[in-house]
Amino acid sequence: MGPVRPQHIATAALFLVGAVTGCSLSGLDTQYGGADASAGDGATAGDAAGKGDAPAAGDVCAPTEDCTNGVDDDCNGLADCADPSCTMAGFACTAAAIPTGWSLVAYSATTRPVCPALYGAEQAIVSDPAGAPDACGCVCSGSSAVCAGTASYSGYPNACATGATSVNLAVNNGACGAVGTTVTAGDYYQLYFASTASAQQGTCSGAGKITSAPAPTFSAGATCAAPAQLGGGCSAGVCAPPTGSVFAACVAHSGNVACPTFGFTQQVLASTGSPGYVDMRACGACPCATSLTCGTVSNVALFDNATCAGGAAYNINTGCQLAGGGAGIGSYEVAYAVSGDATCQPTGSSNPAGSVTLDANVETICCAP
């Protein structure tokens, strides 16, 4: 038999190594990039169940856990919020799953700080608008009341006994009125006993006016948009990035809607508009009227000119009076009892009405109790 060649020895040795049951080829894995499939290396099926997907055989484990992808990146059998490294970094499971139509937001009720890391753009919001009632006064307008009616006197050819001839004159609010009549010499005259003046009101209306309006108050807060990606590892809800001490992890929905029945149950209505509220405060109706009272006619002054100038030629009152010499009469004035105010004045107060409310840009924010 001839000498054994070296290449034959190497081939035989390699065949023996490959034939040994249970032996690892890990030394060759490094050189050739093959997978080490020996028992005990990598996570078992039981390790990965319910704890995120472990990297596939041959994948390189990450040195740290990515808390937003639902994967067990560091190969410890725990994904995202189930991994202590995520919770120590501030990641936390939300109070419940995010319902369809809702968005996760970081919510601050009364401040507008910089949004937490990993959250999106900030949206200024206004909530809880309020305003003390306006102080109200009254404004009245319209024409004044006047004394109107008819003043009558009678002329007699005797001492006010029989054969009376009556003359009717408009009360005319006591102003000078034109008349064309004659007082007959030797006749007697007296006022008709039922002559009265009555108050007649023109237009009179009122409206409330604001005498002072307290400034509206509101809470100026903010929301920050949902992160681009949310993790897993939660029995309920999703793994959300830390919100810090000022913000809270809540859900938001456009419009005024009911909160979810589980997890996110505390409702806040807010506006994304500017200024975010509508001031509907006002003053109510204002009652107004005149208080003029006109009484019984006491005298009719007759003038022998057309302008009530100078002294009256005759003053006819309730007593029976002899006219004396006759005269032509061109104007008159009626005197009567009067009291009250003829101008349009408040008769009550104007009550405040309305309130400060959110404008139409309403959204609903629901947080955990």
Side-chain angles (χ1 to χ4, degrees):
M1 180 177 182
V4 179
R5 299 181 183 275
Q7 62 268 31
H8 293 166
I9 297 173
T11 301
L14 182 60
F15 174 80
L16 289 174
V17 170
V20 177
T21 302
C23 292
S24 173
L25 301 180
S26 58
L28 296 179
D29 290 346
T30 302
Q31 181 177 356
Y32 296 102
D36 184 350
S38 61
D41 292 340
T44 65
D47 291 336
K51 299 179 181 179
D53 297 331
D59 289 351
V60 177
C61 294
T64 57
E65 180 72 10
D66 179 346
C67 304
T68 65
N69 61 3
V71 174
D72 178 18
D73 303 283
D74 57 5
C75 304
N76 67 350
L78 303 170
D80 298 350
C81 275
D83 194 314
S85 65
C86 290
T87 55
M88 290 177 63
F91 284 79
C93 293
T94 57
I98 310 302
T100 302
W102 295 78
S103 299
L104 180 71
V105 294
Y107 164 63
S108 174
T110 58
T111 57
R112 294 171 177 171
V114 175
C115 286
L118 301 183
Y119 283 83
E122 181 176 273
Q123 170 65 60
I125 59 171
V126 166
S127 61
D128 300 319
D134 291 334
C136 298
C138 275
V139 175
C140 297
S141 61
S143 56
S144 298
V146 298
C147 290
T150 302
S152 301
Y153 69 90
S154 299
Y156 298 85
N158 49 55
C160 302
T162 58
T165 299
S166 295
V167 178
N168 298 320
L169 301 172
V171 170
N172 201 30
N173 204 37
C176 183
V179 65
T181 188
T182 301
V183 172
T184 304
D187 281 0
Y188 289 79
Y189 293 88
Q190 68 176 1
L191 289 176
Y192 182 63
F193 72 93
S195 294
T196 58
S198 59
Q200 293 185 354
Q201 178 178 303
T203 59
C204 184
S205 61
K209 68 173 182 178
I210 299 174
T211 58
S212 68
T217 61
F218 54 87
S219 295
T223 58
C224 302
Q229 190 169 313
L230 295 169
C234 298
S235 59
V238 294
C239 188
T243 58
S245 60
V246 177
F247 288 91
C250 303
V251 291
H253 194 293
S254 61
N256 183 349
V257 298
C259 283
T261 57
F262 179 76
F264 304 101
T265 58
Q266 301 301 301
Q267 185 190 64
V268 175
L269 294 180
S271 170
T272 58
S274 179
Y277 61 85
V278 179
D279 191 347
M280 300 297 292
R281 294 174 299 171
C283 292
C286 174
C288 296
T290 61
S291 59
L292 178 66
T293 300
C294 308
T296 303
V297 173
S298 58
N299 186 78
V300 173
L302 302 177
F303 298 85
D304 58 5
N305 56 72
T307 58
C308 301
Y314 299 95
N315 282 300
I316 300 174
N317 50 48
T318 55
C320 185
Q321 305 158 65
L322 177 62
I329 304 301
S331 59
Y332 73 95
E333 289 178 346
V334 177
Y336 47 86
V338 63
S339 62
D341 195 329
T343 61
C344 189
Q345 297 292 328
T347 59
S349 59
S350 171
N351 296 319
S355 60
V356 181
T357 62
L358 291 173
D359 64 14
N361 303 294
V362 173
E363 72 172 6
T364 302
I365 300 171
C366 297
C367 301

